[in-house]
């Protein structure tokens, strides 16, 4: 019989090696395109890179603002994220519309549609804002974190990464779409890994009151791939159930119900709550045990309607849109044809940097929920969660 601990070590080692290989390939591509752009078309390189560099540095400002507000004024921070995100997305869409070229028009349509969806979500989620603010305030009280430092590291990485896409944009490479995809993966995975490591450090401190939150890089790399994928599957399952509605269409409802069941099984084995104990138990085991603890404590519905993840996501969207507007407005004035590309890349940079900064409050809430689920009766907790569970049970929500 195989040893599960040995198998887990093999998987984490595999992910670590894959991550370093991925980082090496990204570094080679960034260096190649940057050097080639500087040598053969330095003027065009600077026209693309300087707005991206400004956006990368600027992204630290909204990230810090959202983090400070979340820690000091949770209620105001959540409301600001709910309404700033659609407003900034709409503003970015109008900026892209002003560019007038096909890529700008396509991105503008996506941005405007996203703004509408975010507005509708904000209206739908508004009754849940008071509890979200209460639990955020309670969970972050007296808790330290690494959000600001991780966001600074992410902004510096983005500034270097921007050299690669700037060099790529200056030349008409035959395999340009493939190179763009590779560079985008080279941005997303390291950014998500930085966020995961910070999440583990902060949640470990918040849970145990200790800074000893060691985690293998391999486990963090694996979780960095699994958590976003699981969130996407869970979101797709929810969307399918909304589209299916009731049982008017029996076939569609059955498909949605089946997909939701599969998504539920996946979520139970790989979720962000497992990051609290990933250092001691491994990601899958920690995820399973956290999910089972939620079930025993009757917190299933509470976890499902929690707004913390949505708040952090919308904060990232608002930060990304602000960065996109900064970069896009620059090139719209002086180099209009670059507006779509610069705005899109700047948005991604701002989004990731802000999400990494917001890992501090999100990790604190994650640890708070897991700690409560493991021992609901301890004097360590007030009545915030227990009262909310009773409200949800009484309302049937």
């Amino acid at each position: 019989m195989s040893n599960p601990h040995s198998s887990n070590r093999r998987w984490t080692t595999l992910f670590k090696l894959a991550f370093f290989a991925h980082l090496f390939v990204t570094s080679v591509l960034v260096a190649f395109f940057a050097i080639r752009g500087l040598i053969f078309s330095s003027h065009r390189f600077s026209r693309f890179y300087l707005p991206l560099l400004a956006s990368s540095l600027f992204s630290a400002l909204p990230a810090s603002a959202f983090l400070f507000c979340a820690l000091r004024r949770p209620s105001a921070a959540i409301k600001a994220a709910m309404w700033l995100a659609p407003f900034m997305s709409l503003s970015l869409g109008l900026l892209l519309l002003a560019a007038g070229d096909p890529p700008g028009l396509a991105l503008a349509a996506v941005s405007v549609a996203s703004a509408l969806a975010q507005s509708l979500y904000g209206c739908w989620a508004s009754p849940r804002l008071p509890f979200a603010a209460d639990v955020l305030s309670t969970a972050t009280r007296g808790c330290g974190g690494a959000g600001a430092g991780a966001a600074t590291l992410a902004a510096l990485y983005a500034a270097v990464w921007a050299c690669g896409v700037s060099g790529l944009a200056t030349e008409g490479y035959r395999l340009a779409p493939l190179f763009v995809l590779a560079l985008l993966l080279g941005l997303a995975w390291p950014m998500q890994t930085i966020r995961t490591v910070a999440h583990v450090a902060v949640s470990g401190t918040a849970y145990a009151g200790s800074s000893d939150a060691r985690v293998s890089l391999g486990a963090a790399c694996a979780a960095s791939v699994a958590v976003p994928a699981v969130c996407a599957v869970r979101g797709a399952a929810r969307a399918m159930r909304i589209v299916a509605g009731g049982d008017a269409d029996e076939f569609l409802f059955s498909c949605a119900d089946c997909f939701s069941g599969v998504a539920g099984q996946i979520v139970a084995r790989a979720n962000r709550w497992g990051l609290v104990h990933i250092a001691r138990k491994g990601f899958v085991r920690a995820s399973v045990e956290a999910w089972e603890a939620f079930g025993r404590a009757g917190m299933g519905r509470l976890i499902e309607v929690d707004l913390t993840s949505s708040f952090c996501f919308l904060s990232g969207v608002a930060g990304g849109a602000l960065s996109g507007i900064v970069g896009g407005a620059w090139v719209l004035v002086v180099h209009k044809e670059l507006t779509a590309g610069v705005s899109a890349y700047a948005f991604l940079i701002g989004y990731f940097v802000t999400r990494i900064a917001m890992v501090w409050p999100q990790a604190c809430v994650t640890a708070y929920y897991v700690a409560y689920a493991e021992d609901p009766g301890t004097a360590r907790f007030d009545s915030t969660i227990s009262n909310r569970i009773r409200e949800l049970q009484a309302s049937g929500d």
Side-chain angles (χ1 to χ4, degrees):
M1 180 179 291
S2 61
N3 188 334
H5 294 290
S6 177
S7 177
N8 181 65
R9 282 196 298 270
R10 285 196 297 268
W11 276 107
T12 55
T13 300
L14 179 62
F15 269 99
K16 181 168 65 174
L17 293 175
F19 177 75
F20 280 123
H22 169 83
L23 205 57
F24 174 75
V25 172
T26 301
S27 301
V28 170
L29 289 176
V30 168
F32 173 78
F33 291 125
I35 294 172
R36 184 176 174 84
L38 285 170
I39 292 175
F40 294 103
S41 50
S42 59
H43 182 61
R44 282 184 292 173
F45 176 88
S46 62
R47 288 191 304 180
F48 203 95
Y49 178 65
L50 290 178
L52 272 185
L53 177 62
S55 300
S56 301
L57 300 178
F58 173 82
S59 64
L61 183 60
S64 300
F66 274 113
L67 175 59
F68 179 82
C69 195
L71 297 176
R72 300 295 180 180
R73 296 288 186 271
S75 180
I78 295 175
K79 291 177 182 176
M82 290 289 177
W83 299 113
L84 272 179
F87 177 74
M88 291 303 166
S89 297
L90 178 61
S91 300
L92 180 59
L94 295 176
L95 177 68
L96 291 166
L97 194 62
D101 56 349
L105 294 176
L107 291 174
V110 173
S111 187
V112 172
S114 175
L116 177 60
Q118 292 166 36
S119 298
L120 294 175
Y121 178 81
C123 295
W124 174 77
S126 58
R128 301 173 182 172
L129 297 185
F131 172 75
D134 288 343
V135 76
L136 184 61
S137 176
T138 303
T140 56
R141 189 177 301 136
C143 176
T152 302
L153 176 62
L156 294 175
Y157 177 80
V160 175
W161 175 86
C163 293
V165 295
S166 300
L168 178 60
T170 61
E171 298 288 338
Y173 293 96
R174 181 180 301 176
L175 299 177
L178 182 61
F179 290 138
V180 168
L181 178 60
L183 287 175
L184 289 177
L185 291 175
L187 176 69
W189 196 4
M191 288 288 198
Q192 187 65 27
T193 300
I194 293 173
R195 181 168 171 257
T196 300
V197 171
H199 196 296
V200 172
V202 176
S203 62
T205 302
Y207 175 86
S210 168
S211 59
D212 185 15
R214 294 185 298 270
V215 59
S216 72
L217 181 59
C221 293
S224 300
V225 174
V227 171
V230 169
C231 289
V233 170
R234 192 181 188 192
R238 288 180 175 178
M240 275 192 70
R241 289 193 68 86
I242 292 174
V243 171
D247 55 359
D249 189 326
E250 185 176 349
F251 175 76
L252 183 60
F253 181 78
S254 298
C255 290
D257 192 54
C258 179
F259 186 64
S260 296
V262 173
Q265 292 296 319
I266 296 174
V267 171
R269 287 165 173 78
N271 53 69
R272 68 177 181 273
W273 297 282
L275 297 177
V276 177
H277 292 311
I278 189 175
R280 296 190 295 109
K281 301 178 180 179
F283 180 55
V284 175
R285 180 185 168 194
S287 297
V288 170
E289 292 186 2
W291 199 257
E292 291 175 347
F294 289 150
R296 291 193 299 269
M299 295 174 62
R301 184 56 182 163
L302 175 66
I303 295 300
E304 186 177 347
V305 301
D306 179 60
L307 292 182
T308 306
S309 182
S310 299
F311 161 56
C312 295
F313 170 76
L314 291 174
S315 298
V317 170
L322 278 168
S323 297
I325 290 171
V326 169
W330 181 330
V331 294
L332 182 65
V333 174
V334 293
H335 306 294
K336 189 176 181 179
E337 71 279 4
L338 303 178
T339 303
V342 170
S343 297
Y345 290 131
F347 171 85
L348 291 174
I349 291 172
Y351 170 80
F352 280 119
V353 171
T354 306
R355 285 304 306 269
I356 289 171
M358 294 303 292
V359 77
W360 184 341
Q362 185 173 20
C364 289
V365 173
T366 301
Y368 186 73
Y369 278 145
V370 171
Y372 179 88
E374 292 175 348
D375 190 7
T378 183
R380 176 182 177 185
F381 303 101
D382 58 17
S383 59
T384 303
I385 293 180
S386 57
N387 288 344
R388 181 58 174 168
I389 293 175
R390 284 193 291 270
E391 289 176 6
L392 292 173
Q393 292 172 343
S395 65
D397 189 1

